[in-house]
Amino acid sequence: MDKAELEPQSTEESSSSSSSPKILQEKGHKTEVAESTEVAHYMADPRPTNNGPFSFTPAELMDLIDPKSSEKLAAYGGVGGILAGLHTNPTKGLSTANQPLTSVVAGEEGHLNEKASTEAVSLATREEFFGKNFLPQRKQKSIFQLMWMALQEKILILLLVAAIVSIGLGIYEDVFMTHPPPTPRYNRDLELVIQEDPKIAWVEGVAILVAVMIVVLVGSINDFQKEKQFRKLNAKKEDREVKVLRNGETVLLSVYDVVVGDILHLEPGDVISADGVFLGGHNLKCDESAMTGESDAVKKVTFEELQRLEEVEAAAHKESKILTNHEGIEVIADPHHGVHGTDCFIISGSKVLEGVGLYVVTGVGENSFHGKTMMSLRTDPESTPLQAKLNDLAERIAKLGFLAAVLMLVILIIRFLIKIIPEPNKNTAEIVQKVVDIVIAAVTVVVVAVPEGLPLAVTLALAFATTRMLKDNNLVRVLAACETMGNATTVCSDKTGTLTQNRMTIVAGTLGINTRFIADIAEGDSNARAELPINRNALPMSQLISNLPKTVTQLMHESIAINSSAFESEDDKGNLSFIGSKTEVAMLDFSKKLGGTDYRVLRESAPVAHLYPFSSERKSMATIVQMGPNKFRLHAKGASEIIMKRCSKVIQIADRDAEVTELELVEDLQTQVHKTIISYASQSLRTIGVAYRDFESWPPANIELTEDGEVPFAAVAESGLTLVGIVGIEDPLRDGVPEAVLACQRAGVFVRMVTGDNILTAKSIATQC
């Protein structure tokens, strides 16, 4: 984010403009320090320390968020009280030096004083008193616990009972039952020998036990190993980098390193990693539906602005009448419910829909809203559909087998009684032996009915599937999950970064109407793009600047540098590279390759008057800067087809020394621009339009402001623009994507691509896949 500083307005300004902080322009990746008189508005004497060197406990800070309470924030001294109590500087962020930080407090006549904290407030101290920004790992179950859990399946319990009964009956048959005398047999040498039959009636029960042991061991060992691998993978997946203000500079940090008191940047698409209180920004809206269930976007304003809105709302309901309802109870006819859809609290786990801003972190890890929610959801997984079916099968087998055994027992007993009634002198031992034989036969029916091979077959099949999927780089955490995934019929995939490599580069473009350029081609190489009709007269990118008027070149570089939130920083290897939106990085790289003025110089030369951050709803963004006395310029960029519809003029490329001239974008010229967009999109290029509009003042005259005192985007950026040009950005397919899509289609799984790009670009990518 390139506008990263707080600029609370002077108290001398009118109440309509309020004293809410704003985001100032950033110098590269360093944040400009605000004037001391501006910071004083946010500072206050810290409350007594009741949590080590801090004025708040994690529970007290959590009470601000759950539920959202502006009254409690006011009781804490507002944003100034929070910043002072956490020893945080809103314009410099935290200090990484291992020394006592200073609490900036307002002294007499608004002057700033600095007084040292009573203790060294290092980052480690913050982690000690407020925790780290990750959830404690759930205690992993031991192999024996997993084996015991696997034994809880009803069909395995039934098999164990059958095995025990079978072994018991087998031992009884071999030891206690009388066997017929041994019969003479011929051995391999054709010699007549008398040999007793082996006593192996217990083998069937042991075989069932072995099958159960294999099922339990395969399932539990697989789950134990995959759980360990999944923990490592999950930790890496959840780790991401966020923009944090430290030592007065904007740096990229892992979310795990964020601590309470940090000042974090917010940009469209960010998933918020910690709770906090909003400090300032431009038109910030968040989707909190995952946390609260409310689908409407929530607008974020400063605490001071929220108080002003609540006062206006309260005044509007001051004359509310008291009526009697149908039950005879007195109620307020039009009760005051506060400001709906607007607050100053940032909730972890929510997503930034549009806008940019800064906020101070008040809760991390277990002490954040998202952390508490995730901890409460830690429950044991439910049975899969296959497990439920196997359990149902076991119950049915047990019931039907028991009924069949009882029926058979009754029938055989009746038959036996009918036989022995005519024989009163029957030997008692023989009668008991016959009854035991009947019982054994009945129990055998139950044992035979149990499919001892079914659980083993299912487990081995799932284990085989897990191994196959692991070879395809798919880690299956729980063995039974293979069955659930096997029922999938549709796979929805994002385009950028999933089907494509997310390495964006400008490879073609058109300035004005007909000044086209393409990426340079190495000597001896061929480029199919250069053979297309639209690019036959295109200039190589290295020759573009020498064929453009200086004014057009300057305008192009200004549009790219000023209307962007990306910045340059060192990577892990010490190399300088741009960091931010991949589209903006591609455009800044393009400007740098052409030898344009350093983006920091261009941003510093034109103070930002207003910013309309990127919004997926309007598919564009705009930045208004002051170019001089009575001259303001709006730079806009976004989806090319959207930008073109908002343009009424287009720049004209003339002589090298000519000024920027404009042509009316008549229908014929609109058709040419539209054909250019279609041509680039059919080449699988993401098309971005760049435009501008000049104003004599800001806010412009005769523009009706919103209730918040803002200039509506539609009033200034959705008409009257002048088109600078269209660029085509290439994002090549990942290796192996076409083969993977084909494999899915052969397996009966439909692959659907989800993207916000131009429909022709999406179709072209889909065709390549």
Side-chain angles (χ1 to χ4, degrees):
M1 184 173 64
D2 58 324
K3 291 84 186 172
E5 290 195 4
L6 302 175
E7 186 186 24
Q9 298 175 350
S10 170
T11 55
E12 297 176 358
E13 295 180 349
S14 63
S15 59
S16 61
S17 62
S18 81
S19 57
S20 59
K22 296 193 176 185
I23 305 297
L24 296 181
Q25 186 175 3
E26 178 183 316
K27 295 184 178 182
H29 66 286
K30 293 186 178 181
T31 305
E32 198 175 62
V33 180
E35 294 291 331
S36 61
T37 55
E38 294 172 336
V39 181
H41 175 79
Y42 261 137
M43 293 293 100
D45 287 321
R47 304 193 320 165
T49 56
N50 60 356
N51 184 34
F54 305 103
S55 301
F56 307 99
T57 64
E60 289 175 329
L61 294 175
M62 188 64 206
D63 289 341
L64 291 174
I65 306 296
D66 187 19
K68 297 177 182 177
S69 175
S70 57
E71 293 83 3
K72 190 150 289 187
L73 180 56
Y76 290 172
V79 176
I82 295 293
L83 292 171
L86 297 178
H87 307 290
T88 299
N89 190 310
T91 57
K92 293 183 180 179
L94 299 181
S95 171
T96 55
N98 191 16
Q99 59 185 13
L101 295 182
T102 56
S103 297
V104 185
V105 299
E108 295 180 0
E109 300 180 0
H111 295 292
L112 289 181
N113 300 322
E114 291 188 352
K115 64 178 185 179
S117 173
T118 56
E119 298 182 35
V121 188
S122 63
L123 300 183
T125 304
R126 295 178 183 273
E127 291 180 349
E128 177 186 352
F129 285 94
F130 294 105
K132 298 182 179 181
N133 197 26
F134 55 81
L135 300 180
Q137 287 192 352
R138 185 188 302 186
K139 185 179 179 181
Q140 186 174 358
K141 292 182 173 64
S142 67
I143 186 68
F144 299 106
Q145 288 175 309
L146 292 173
M147 291 172 63
W148 176 254
M149 290 171 60
L151 280 171
Q152 304 308 306
E153 292 188 23
K154 292 182 180 179
I155 195 164
L156 292 182
I157 294 174
L158 185 60
L159 283 173
L160 285 175
V161 173
I164 294 172
V165 172
S166 180
I167 291 174
L169 294 177
I171 293 175
Y172 177 80
E173 288 182 15
D174 292 339
V175 177
F176 299 102
M177 289 185 63
T178 56
H179 297 275
T183 55
R185 296 177 183 173
Y186 290 96
N187 61 14
R188 292 181 179 179
D189 298 329
L190 298 178
E191 296 175 352
L192 188 63
V193 295
I194 298 176
Q195 186 176 3
E196 293 184 357
D197 293 331
K199 299 179 180 181
I200 54 173
W202 50 270
V203 169
E204 184 177 353
V206 173
I208 296 176
L209 280 179
V210 171
V212 172
M213 288 179 60
I214 293 175
V215 170
V216 171
L217 287 174
V218 170
S220 56
I221 292 174
N222 180 86
D223 289 351
F224 182 75
Q225 292 177 337
K226 298 302 183 291
E227 175 68 19
K228 291 179 65 177
Q229 295 174 340
F230 192 83
R231 283 173 181 264
K232 296 179 182 178
L233 181 65
N234 205 40
K236 188 174 182 180
K237 173 186 72 87
E238 293 178 354
D239 188 14
R240 63 185 187 278
E241 291 184 325
V242 292
K243 291 182 180 180
V244 184
L245 195 60
R246 292 272 180 95
N247 303 314
E249 297 182 354
T250 301
V251 297
L252 288 177
L253 284 183
S254 166
V255 290
Y256 296 145
D257 296 329
V258 173
V259 297
V260 169
D262 263 325
I263 307 296
L264 263 62
H265 293 245
L266 295 174
E267 294 180 351
D270 285 352
V271 177
I272 297 171
S273 57
D275 294 339
V277 179
F278 186 60
L279 296 179
H282 287 279
N283 195 34
L284 187 73
K285 293 183 179 179
C286 296
D287 177 11
E288 299 178 353
S289 58
M291 298 293 104
T292 64
E294 295 289 341
S295 58
D296 295 335
V298 180
K299 185 175 182 179
K300 302 299 176 181
V301 297
T302 61
F303 177 58
E304 292 78 8
E305 180 68 12
L306 180 65
Q307 285 183 314
R308 187 185 68 80
L309 293 174
E310 288 179 342
E311 289 174 1
V312 172
E313 187 79 4
H317 293 81
K318 194 173 183 181
E319 303 299 328
S320 298
K321 298 179 180 179
I322 297 179
L323 302 177
T324 303
N325 64 10
H326 64 284
E327 296 179 349
I329 301 175
E330 291 185 346
V331 295
I332 299 177
D334 191 12
H336 168 54
H337 294 291
V339 183
H340 179 69
T342 303
D343 61 58
C344 60
F345 300 103
I346 306 297
I347 297 182
S348 56
S350 57
K351 186 176 182 179
V352 179
L353 296 178
E354 60 179 274
V356 293
L358 292 173
Y359 78 101
V360 56
V361 174
T362 60
V364 296
E366 289 183 89
N367 298 315
S368 67
F369 190 93
H370 181 65
K372 287 181 65 176
T373 303
M374 297 307 295
M375 292 296 290
S376 66
L377 293 177
R378 287 190 172 182
T379 56
D380 293 330
E382 298 179 355
S383 299
T384 65
L386 182 59
Q387 288 173 329
K389 290 177 182 178
L390 289 177
N391 289 336
D392 183 58
L393 176 64
E395 289 183 4
R396 293 187 179 187
I397 289 174
K399 292 176 182 178
L400 294 177
F402 180 75
L403 291 175
V406 170
L407 181 62
M408 182 176 178
L409 180 64
V410 172
I411 292 174
L412 291 179
I413 290 293
I414 294 174
R415 178 186 174 193
F416 174 68
L417 292 176
I418 293 174
K419 281 187 175 182
I420 66 168
I421 287 175
E423 304 177 12
N425 298 325
K426 194 75 171 178
N427 189 348
T428 303
E430 292 182 8
I431 294 175
V432 172
Q433 181 67 41
K434 288 291 184 181
V435 172
V436 170
D437 289 343
I438 291 173
V439 172
I440 290 175
V443 173
T444 303
V445 171
V446 179
V447 175
V448 172
V450 177
E452 64 273 5
L454 179 60
L456 180 60
V458 171
T459 301
L460 293 178
L462 293 179
F464 176 73
T466 301
T467 305
R468 287 288 302 272
M469 294 183 72
L470 189 59
K471 291 180 180 178
D472 294 333
N473 297 324
N474 291 316
L475 179 60
V476 181
R477 182 179 186 180
V478 180
L479 198 64
C482 283
E483 167 238 334
T484 305
M485 290 187 293
N487 294 327
T489 57
T490 301
V491 174
C492 295
S493 172
D494 181 32
K495 179 180 75 69
T496 305
T498 304
L499 298 177
T500 62
Q501 298 178 20
N502 201 19
R503 289 206 318 251
M504 299 191 185
T505 309
I506 293 179
V507 295
T510 301
L511 297 177
I513 296 296
N514 293 316
T515 304
R516 309 189 194 283
F517 61 89
I518 59 173
D520 294 320
I521 307 169
E523 188 175 351
D525 292 346
S526 60
N527 188 348
R529 187 172 286 114
E531 304 299 326
L532 297 173
I534 192 174
N535 292 327
R536 283 177 183 168
N537 297 320
L539 296 168
M541 201 175 291
S542 57
Q543 301 177 19
L544 178 62
I545 298 300
S546 60
N547 287 273
L548 286 178
K550 295 180 180 178
T551 51
V552 173
T553 302
Q554 183 67 14
L555 174 62
M556 179 183 67
H557 290 312
E558 287 177 356
S559 298
I560 292 174
I562 293 173
N563 192 27
S564 171
S565 62
F567 60 92
E568 196 173 34
S569 182
E570 291 186 357
D571 58 18
D572 297 336
K573 298 180 180 178
N575 300 320
L576 281 176
S577 61
F578 289 106
I579 298 173
S581 161
K582 297 297 182 182
T583 301
E584 293 183 348
V585 166
M587 298 185 74
L588 285 173
D589 274 330
F590 168 71
S591 176
K592 188 175 182 179
K593 287 178 183 177
L594 295 182
T597 306
D598 188 276
Y599 77 101
R600 301 178 185 87
V601 176
L602 293 174
R603 290 179 183 177
E604 292 171 9
S605 64
V608 175
H610 198 77
L611 174 68
Y612 296 101
F614 178 81
S615 165
S616 56
E617 182 179 353
R618 52 181 178 249
K619 291 188 177 181
S620 60
M621 69 175 292
T623 304
I624 298 89
V625 295
Q626 186 170 4
M627 306 294 293
N630 301 323
K631 184 177 182 182
F632 292 83
R633 175 164 290 174
L634 179 148
H635 292 285
K637 75 166 179 286
S640 55
E641 62 275 14
I642 302 294
I643 295 295
M644 186 194 71
K645 291 177 182 178
R646 297 171 179 171
C647 292
S648 58
K649 297 179 182 179
V650 61
I651 64 169
Q652 183 178 14
I653 308 297
D655 297 332
R656 285 274 298 164
D657 298 326
E659 295 294 325
V660 176
T661 56
E662 302 172 349
L663 291 175
E664 291 294 328
L665 194 59
V666 295
E667 187 175 349
D668 290 343
L669 296 181
Q670 284 184 352
T671 302
Q672 289 187 48
V673 175
H674 188 61
K675 287 181 178 179
T676 300
I677 295 173
I678 292 176
S679 176
Y680 288 159
S682 62
Q683 299 172 48
S684 303
L685 301 182
R686 170 180 286 185
T687 55
I688 301 296
V690 180
Y692 73 95
R693 181 181 178 182
D694 289 333
F695 298 93
E696 293 182 355
S697 63
W698 192 264
N702 302 321
I703 296 292
E704 185 177 351
L705 303 182
T706 64
E707 295 179 358
D708 300 333
E710 300 277 349
V711 178
F713 178 84
V716 295
E718 292 190 355
S719 62
L721 301 182
T722 299
L723 183 66
V724 176
I726 306 292
V727 295
I729 301 178
E730 182 181 50
D731 187 11
L733 283 181
R734 286 186 181 274
D735 295 335
V737 166
E739 293 81 2
V741 172
L742 180 61
C744 288
Q745 291 173 342
R746 286 176 175 172
V749 178
F750 293 96
V751 181
R752 307 186 189 277
M753 182 173 67
V754 181
T755 179
D757 272 354
N758 182 292
I759 183 65
L760 294 175
T761 304
K763 286 182 178 179
S764 178
I765 294 289
T767 303
Q768 293 182 42
C769 291

